[in-house]
Amino acid sequence: MSMTEGERSMSERQYLCIDQRSFYATVECVARGLDPLEADLVVADAERSENTICLAVSVHLKSRGVKNRCRLKDIPPHIKCIVAVPRMQLYIDCAAAIYGVFLKYLAPEDIYVYSIDESFLDVTPYLKMYGSTAKELAQRIIQDVRETVGTICTCGIGTNLYLAKIALDIIAKKSPDSIGILDEQSYREQLWDHQPITDFWRISHGTAKRLRDHGMTTLRHVAMMQEDYLYKWFGIDAELLIDHAWGREPTTIADIKNYKSKSKSLSSSQVLMRDYKAQEGELIAKEMTDQLSLDLTAKHYVTESITLWVGYSKAEENPGALGTAQFCRPTNLSTEMVPAIAALYRRIVDPKRLVRRINLTCNRITQDTGMLQLNMFEDVSKQIRQKALQETLLGIRARYGKNSILKGMNYEEAATGRERNEQIGGHRR
């Protein structure tokens, strides 16, 4: 039989995975003095269009059949709801307040913020101190968050990070008290035959299809499959599949916090509000590249190349264009990056097609040592002046705002830079 909460050995790790239910929508309800469990509210920018995707749907609205991440036009006309314009700074402030509640009970090194509305807490060292079980401590923290911030928590409890996440995603969201508990044994007893398999963290529809092609539709099938075959079919990813099929996860919060990637990248993406002509799209790519150059300068990084992906309108048959601009040396200068991306854009993008999405990724980012690479064909003084100019721009923007100093292209009709400078994560502050 599976161990009860009180029977668990104190030597076992006890993790909480706490999620804020319908976070953005709940925050908007609280800000309006509404009960987040009773109010009908969606978070979306109605000014964009009826095709706008709702960032969040209130708990009560979900119970009435409105799906999360639906489009405004998909909400049944007989359902009258409040449409709240996204306020990203408000959500960030609330997330910070929730983190402050966690700090009442745990040290920062035992908290890992997974996303703006989801966090992992290692409560193992605190159970004896508080004289409580993991569930009792979770209930205490959840109640404190509700009273302090007003948001509603769901919690998964597990003997490792993976089990805590699965307890949240599959068990807690169907539990009367919104708390789910799993250890390796109860995980196998309760969830080995659970379907669909895509309910499990890190099993995408693509992975599920590959598993199904080999006769595996549950985690029991994965666990019972000969490991040699799994490695043959999935390569190194098989190791994670096997561990998770058995409910194992060796990684701790300390491991995550101590991890340092061997390589770094920086990216920027934009979904345009309408179909852009190819020439207009080039302007957007140039604006985004110019901003990336400032981001690199601010972080004291340089990049060896930039990959550009341009997605055509969904009405078009061709999904998009992809290419990479290589630099003769690592750089963060807009005078080098912008012309390179403009030339790449004109080379790979079909001028007859309409553009809807643009993504830029700086590859192989390294620290900017401040050393300039000299050659016979370039004026080093120009590099020095451009670097000084970018640092000056950053200083002015830091003091007076991002729109305090702009370039001519930012004032063109199709430009989006000025508007995006007033946003957080592509949404209003």
Side-chain angles (χ1 to χ4, degrees):
M1 290 179 62
S2 174
M3 291 182 291
T4 65
E5 179 72 1
E7 292 171 334
R8 283 196 175 91
S9 167
M10 291 299 293
S11 63
E12 261 190 325
R13 307 308 298 181
Q14 293 290 294
Y15 291 99
L16 311 184
C17 184
I18 298 181
D19 173 66
Q20 309 300 316
R21 292 179 65 186
S22 301
F23 181 53
Y24 296 164
T26 298
V27 171
E28 291 293 346
C29 289
V30 172
R32 289 166 169 76
L34 303 174
D35 184 344
L37 293 175
E38 296 295 333
D40 289 334
L41 180 147
V42 296
V43 179
D45 191 347
E47 290 184 6
R48 293 186 172 184
S49 76
E50 64 175 7
N51 289 316
T52 295
I53 294 176
C54 298
L55 296 183
V57 175
S58 66
V59 175
H60 188 257
L61 209 50
K62 286 181 182 177
S63 70
R64 298 183 67 184
V66 178
K67 294 183 178 179
N68 201 27
R69 304 290 292 176
C70 67
R71 297 183 184 275
L72 273 177
K73 67 178 182 180
D74 296 330
I75 299 175
H78 70 275
I79 295 180
K80 305 301 179 184
C81 63
I82 299 168
V83 180
V85 176
R87 294 186 284 177
M88 299 309 294
Q89 190 59 57
L90 174 63
Y91 311 146
I92 292 170
D93 292 342
C94 284
I98 293 166
Y99 185 76
V101 173
F102 295 159
L103 287 176
K104 292 182 184 179
Y105 301 89
L106 287 79
E109 56 265 27
D110 294 314
I111 304 170
Y112 172 63
V113 178
Y114 182 64
S115 66
I116 193 170
D117 61 351
E118 194 169 319
S119 298
F120 288 95
L121 284 64
D122 184 354
V123 298
T124 312
Y126 304 92
L127 300 182
K128 186 174 182 181
M129 179 175 72
Y130 290 118
S132 64
T133 64
K135 182 174 182 178
E136 289 168 345
L137 182 54
Q139 290 171 324
R140 185 173 169 183
I141 294 171
I142 288 170
Q143 184 62 29
D144 199 342
V145 170
R146 184 66 193 272
E147 292 174 357
T148 305
V149 185
T151 54
I152 307 161
C153 298
T154 305
C155 179
I157 303 172
T159 49
N160 60 49
L161 292 173
Y162 172 72
L163 290 177
K165 174 68 172 166
I166 298 304
L168 170 74
D169 290 344
I170 300 179
I171 305 296
K173 293 180 179 179
K174 298 178 181 178
S175 173
D177 61 2
S178 297
I179 295 177
I181 303 173
L182 287 175
D183 57 21
E184 290 185 20
Q185 186 176 338
S186 62
Y187 171 78
R188 296 167 200 162
E189 290 173 352
Q190 297 178 41
L191 298 178
W192 252 10
D193 297 312
H194 176 87
Q195 289 182 316
I197 199 170
T198 50
D199 283 350
F200 292 90
W201 185 64
R202 287 184 63 90
I203 297 185
S204 65
H205 289 283
T207 300
K209 182 182 182 304
R210 292 172 66 193
L211 288 169
R212 190 166 60 249
D213 289 344
H214 296 289
M216 294 173 281
T217 58
T218 67
L219 287 182
R220 181 188 297 275
H221 295 152
V222 178
M224 296 297 107
M225 178 60 65
Q226 192 171 326
E227 291 187 5
D228 289 348
Y229 288 126
L230 290 171
Y231 278 103
K232 178 182 177 182
W233 296 327
F234 293 94
I236 195 171
D237 291 340
E239 183 175 352
L240 194 65
L241 269 174
I242 294 165
D243 275 350
H244 286 181
W246 288 94
R248 300 190 296 252
E249 176 54 69
T251 304
T252 65
I253 289 178
D255 293 331
I256 295 170
K257 294 198 170 189
N258 290 331
Y259 174 76
K260 290 181 174 56
S261 175
K262 292 181 180 179
S263 62
K264 296 183 177 68
S265 66
L266 185 68
S267 64
S268 175
S269 62
Q270 189 171 164
V271 179
L272 303 169
M273 290 298 103
R274 61 173 174 83
D275 290 342
Y276 271 48
K277 295 178 181 178
Q279 187 175 357
E280 293 177 314
E282 181 183 336
L283 170 64
I284 305 302
K286 288 161 67 175
E287 276 193 311
M288 293 169 65
T289 306
D290 187 58
Q291 183 57 51
L292 273 177
S293 75
L294 291 176
D295 292 342
L296 287 167
T297 302
K299 299 176 189 299
H300 305 290
Y301 288 141
V302 290
T303 182
E304 294 184 6
S305 65
I306 298 180
T307 297
L308 168 68
W309 178 76
V310 178
Y312 297 131
S313 169
K314 64 180 181 181
E316 305 287 351
E317 295 179 1
N318 193 320
L322 180 70
T324 299
Q326 297 281 347
F327 304 115
C328 60
R329 63 171 179 276
T331 185
N332 57 17
L333 302 182
S334 65
T335 50
E336 297 175 357
M337 294 168 57
V338 172
I341 288 300
L344 173 64
Y345 183 98
R346 289 191 292 269
R347 188 169 72 249
I348 66 173
V349 174
D350 186 338
K352 297 179 181 179
R353 295 190 181 277
L354 299 175
V355 172
R356 200 60 187 258
R357 296 173 178 81
I358 298 177
N359 180 272
L360 291 165
T361 302
C362 298
N363 308 308
R364 295 184 62 83
I365 288 177
T366 54
Q367 202 71 33
D368 184 2
T369 62
M371 300 293 291
L372 297 176
Q373 227 174 49
L374 307 180
N375 66 56
M376 296 174 58
F377 307 102
E378 292 182 286
D379 184 351
V380 176
S381 63
K382 287 185 179 180
Q383 295 180 46
I384 296 172
R385 286 197 299 271
Q386 180 60 27
K387 188 176 286 289
L389 175 61
Q390 291 189 184
E391 290 173 352
T392 302
L393 286 173
L394 285 169
I396 294 172
R397 288 184 167 195
R399 185 169 182 178
Y400 299 106
K402 288 185 176 181
N403 280 337
S404 59
I405 185 165
L406 298 164
K407 295 185 177 180
M409 64 178 173
N410 302 127
Y411 289 96
E412 293 190 33
E413 185 178 348
T416 61
R418 284 182 296 164
E419 181 181 357
R420 284 172 63 81
N421 284 342
E422 299 294 335
Q423 299 175 341
I424 298 177
H427 301 283
R428 299 188 191 185
R429 292 177 182 271

